[in-house]
């Protein structure tokens, strides 16, 4: 999970390094660009490989020329690498993490976005990120198992299923080099006897349910997911909780299903996700410790300065943000060594508990 950073500062820069050449770059570029237009994301961002939508925006939004020049001057002053479609050498996904660490000389924060997908150096990639974070380097992983489409699927429904592939396919040899042949599951061109009809592949399942038809082309799934982002985050939180309850010994990169891509989406939206307790928040010159269970929250001031939790700073909301219930109708004065217990009532499966500490917003996984 990413540490606190200033995404309202145009001098702050985030790099997203994607495994895929189209699906992930197109989704996350469109997400970032939409949030920039809304004023939610005020910092500089870069997506690699370069999204096809970035070229469209450069050509059609002339009013952004001055901002782009200033951004480029900023990054070039920090030794910006010029190759927009750079592919990092080495074994995957460790190569992306190493490349991301190199980019920390240019960017303040880096995310490496990749799938389970049988890569040889999963363990080493996660271990390098953990070590780097312990050294206060702001590099993170947005992981999806089996693939990014599973994370997309969670925007439509909660499903806990170990799919085997993103698309029905097999390697065929008609010469010295293997060729991947796709069976076009749940389309009019589906290969009888080869296509799984949505039982094994994620895209086939999505087509069967009518969620989307194509995820890997030049289009972006962002337009059909943009109104479901918090629902996707909530389902991802629920999925991981169920996965850990089923078997807490498996490493993240060995799990199917499991995702951490929602941490990146939440971070871009301005939220932090809390999966474990106690949650320690240093704010207002003091330290607040949060304990939580299904029925209540307990907040304790461990510092020496009184902290005021503003009205509505503790709330419950649904994933559409159109039903917000404040648990504190009045501000809470939390003096040193004092605690406050808040009882959670009528929380539905799709509801969030949200905490707001001076603008730092947390989504709690209960």
């Amino acid at each position: 999970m990413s540490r606190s950073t200033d995404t309202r500062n145009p001098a702050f820069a985030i790099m997203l390094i994607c495994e895929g050449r189209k699906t992930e770059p197109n989704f996350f570029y469109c997400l970032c660009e939409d949030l920039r237009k809304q004023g939610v994301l005020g910092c500089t961002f870069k997506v690699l490989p370069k999204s096809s939508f970035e070229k469209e925006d450069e050509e059609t939004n002339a009013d952004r020329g001055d901002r782009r020049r200033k951004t480029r001057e900023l990054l070039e002053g920090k030794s910006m690498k010029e190759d927009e479609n750079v592919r990092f050498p080495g074994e995957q996904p460790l190569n992306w993490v190493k490349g991301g660490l190199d980019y920390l000389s240019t960017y303040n924060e880096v995310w490496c976005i990749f799938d389970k997908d049988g890569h040889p150096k999963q363990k080493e990639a996660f271990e390098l990120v953990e070590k780097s974070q312990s050294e206060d380097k702001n590099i993170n992983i947005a992981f999806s198992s089996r693939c990014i489409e599973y994370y997309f699927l969670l925007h439509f429904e909660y499903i806990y299923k170990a799919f085997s592939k993103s698309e029905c396919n097999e390697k065929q040899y008609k010469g010295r080099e293997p060729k991947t042949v796709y069976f076009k599951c749940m389309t009019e061109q589906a290969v009888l006897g080869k296509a799984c009809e949505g039982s094994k592949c994620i895209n086939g399942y999505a087509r069967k349910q009518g969620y989307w038809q194509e995820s890997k082309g030049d289009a972006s799934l962002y337009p059909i997911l943009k109104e479901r982002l918090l629902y996707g985050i909530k389902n991802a939180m629920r999925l991981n909780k169920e996965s850990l309850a089923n078997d807490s010994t498996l490493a993240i990169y060995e799990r199917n299903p499991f995702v951490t891509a929602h941490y990146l989406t939440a971070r871009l939206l301005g939220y932090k996700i809390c999966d474990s307790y106690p949650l320690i928040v240093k704010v207002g010159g003091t330290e607040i410790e949060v304990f939580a269970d299904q029925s209540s929250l307990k907040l304790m001031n461990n510092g020496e300065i009184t902290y005021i939790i503003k009205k509505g700073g503790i709330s419950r909301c649904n994933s559409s943000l159109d039903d917000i219930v404040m648990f504190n109708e009045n501000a809470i004065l939390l003096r040193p060594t004092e605690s406050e217990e808040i009882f959670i009532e009528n929380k539905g499966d799709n509801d969030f508990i949200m905490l707001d500490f001076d603008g730092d917003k947390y989504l709690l996984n209960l």
Side-chain angles (χ1 to χ4, degrees), residues 50-250:
K50 187 175 182 179
S51 167
S52 57
F53 290 89
E54 182 175 353
K55 188 172 187 297
E56 291 178 11
D57 286 341
E58 287 175 343
E59 292 173 348
T60 58
N61 295 315
D63 61 311
R64 290 173 53 197
D66 186 57
R67 175 184 175 275
R68 285 188 176 277
R69 281 192 296 274
K70 290 179 180 177
T71 297
R72 192 165 189 83
E73 289 169 5
L74 163 73
L75 296 180
E76 285 177 345
K78 299 165 86 175
S79 303
M80 179 181 178
K81 296 181 181 179
E82 294 296 335
D83 187 357
E84 304 283 13
N85 292 293
V86 64
R87 304 304 291 172
F88 303 95
E91 293 183 287
Q92 303 164 338
L94 182 60
N95 59 332
W96 297 315
V97 173
K98 289 181 177 179
L101 288 171
D102 289 341
Y103 267 111
L104 284 176
S105 64
T106 304
Y107 291 81
N108 305 94
E109 179 177 342
V110 174
W111 286 80
C112 300
I113 305 162
F114 57 84
D115 302 339
K116 183 177 174 68
D117 208 26
H119 297 311
K121 295 289 184 178
Q122 296 273 11
K123 179 175 182 290
E124 292 82 355
F126 277 88
E127 288 177 345
L128 181 55
V129 166
E130 184 177 2
K131 177 179 181 295
S132 300
Q133 288 180 344
S134 72
E135 298 168 351
D136 206 34
K137 296 176 181 176
N138 202 354
I139 186 166
N140 310 271
I141 290 174
F143 175 75
S144 303
S145 178
R146 168 72 51 190
C147 57
I148 190 69
E149 283 86 356
Y150 196 101
Y151 173 53
F152 294 161
L153 193 60
L154 293 172
H155 291 67
F156 295 92
E157 64 171 287
Y158 180 74
I159 181 171
Y160 191 92
K161 179 178 172 63
F163 289 97
S164 59
K165 294 184 178 182
S166 63
E167 289 277 5
C168 285
N169 67 75
E170 68 179 26
K171 297 283 188 183
Q172 294 183 0
Y173 292 81
K174 295 184 179 180
R176 305 184 79 179
E177 295 296 327
K179 180 182 180 181
T180 301
V181 177
Y182 293 92
F183 301 134
K184 305 183 185 301
C185 189
M186 297 306 299
T187 71
E188 293 181 355
Q189 295 80 36
V191 179
L192 187 64
K194 294 287 190 177
C196 74
E197 297 185 351
S199 64
K200 297 179 181 180
C201 78
I202 298 172
N203 276 314
Y205 180 86
R207 293 183 190 109
K208 186 176 182 178
Q209 302 300 320
Y211 297 150
W212 66 76
Q213 288 299 310
E214 181 57 64
S215 67
K216 298 185 181 298
D218 290 324
S220 172
L221 285 185
Y222 177 69
I224 65 173
L225 300 181
K226 65 179 293 184
E227 302 300 329
R228 304 171 179 265
L229 294 176
L230 283 178
Y231 186 62
I233 291 171
K234 179 62 181 176
N235 282 339
M237 293 164 68
R238 181 181 170 188
L239 175 86
N240 291 357
K241 185 176 182 179
E242 182 174 349
S243 175
L244 292 169
N246 289 342
D247 186 350
S248 61
T249 64
L250 277 178

Side-chain angles (χ1 to χ4, degrees), residues 217-358:
D218 290 324
S220 172
L221 285 185
Y222 177 69
I224 65 173
L225 300 181
K226 65 179 293 184
E227 302 300 329
R228 304 171 179 265
L229 294 176
L230 283 178
Y231 186 62
I233 291 171
K234 179 62 181 176
N235 282 339
M237 293 164 68
R238 181 181 170 188
L239 175 86
N240 291 357
K241 185 176 182 179
E242 182 174 349
S243 175
L244 292 169
N246 289 342
D247 186 350
S248 61
T249 64
L250 277 178
I252 286 175
Y253 50 85
E254 294 175 328
R255 296 177 177 275
N256 183 16
F258 201 84
V259 298
T260 66
H262 63 301
Y263 284 109
L264 173 54
T265 301
R267 183 262 179 287
L268 295 170
L269 288 167
Y271 298 104
K272 301 175 184 179
I273 294 174
C274 177
D275 280 319
S276 59
Y277 301 93
L279 166 66
I280 307 295
V281 181
K282 294 185 178 181
V283 62
T286 191
E287 179 183 278
I288 306 298
E289 190 170 16
V290 181
F291 301 88
D293 57 34
Q294 288 293 327
S295 59
S296 66
L297 299 175
K298 184 177 180 181
L299 296 90
M300 179 175 293
N301 187 344
N302 292 332
E304 299 179 352
I305 299 175
T306 297
Y307 180 71
I308 300 175
I309 301 173
K310 68 178 183 179
K311 175 183 177 180
I314 307 170
S315 62
R316 185 191 78 229
C317 68
N318 63 7
S319 56
S320 299
L321 293 181
D322 57 9
D323 183 17
I324 299 177
V325 176
M326 293 187 296
F327 286 122
N328 62 319
E329 292 283 352
N330 300 298
I332 297 175
L333 196 67
L334 205 58
R335 296 182 175 84
T337 73
E338 288 188 348
S339 63
E340 182 81 17
E341 187 167 15
I342 306 292
F343 292 98
I344 301 170
E345 300 176 350
N346 303 321
K347 176 181 171 294
D349 288 341
N350 294 322
D351 289 343
F352 289 100
I353 301 301
M354 298 177 63
L355 301 180
D356 187 340
F357 294 112
D358 292 355

Side-chain angles (χ1 to χ4, degrees), residues 4-33:
S4 178
T5 48
D6 185 4
T7 58
R8 299 256 178 199
N9 182 356
F12 191 89
I14 299 177
M15 164 65 79
L16 308 184
I17 298 175
C18 301
E19 168 185 359
R21 290 183 176 273
K22 293 184 178 180
T23 306
E24 294 91 340
N26 286 347
F27 172 78
F28 282 106
Y29 174 79
C30 290
L31 168 61
C32 290
E33 184 62 9

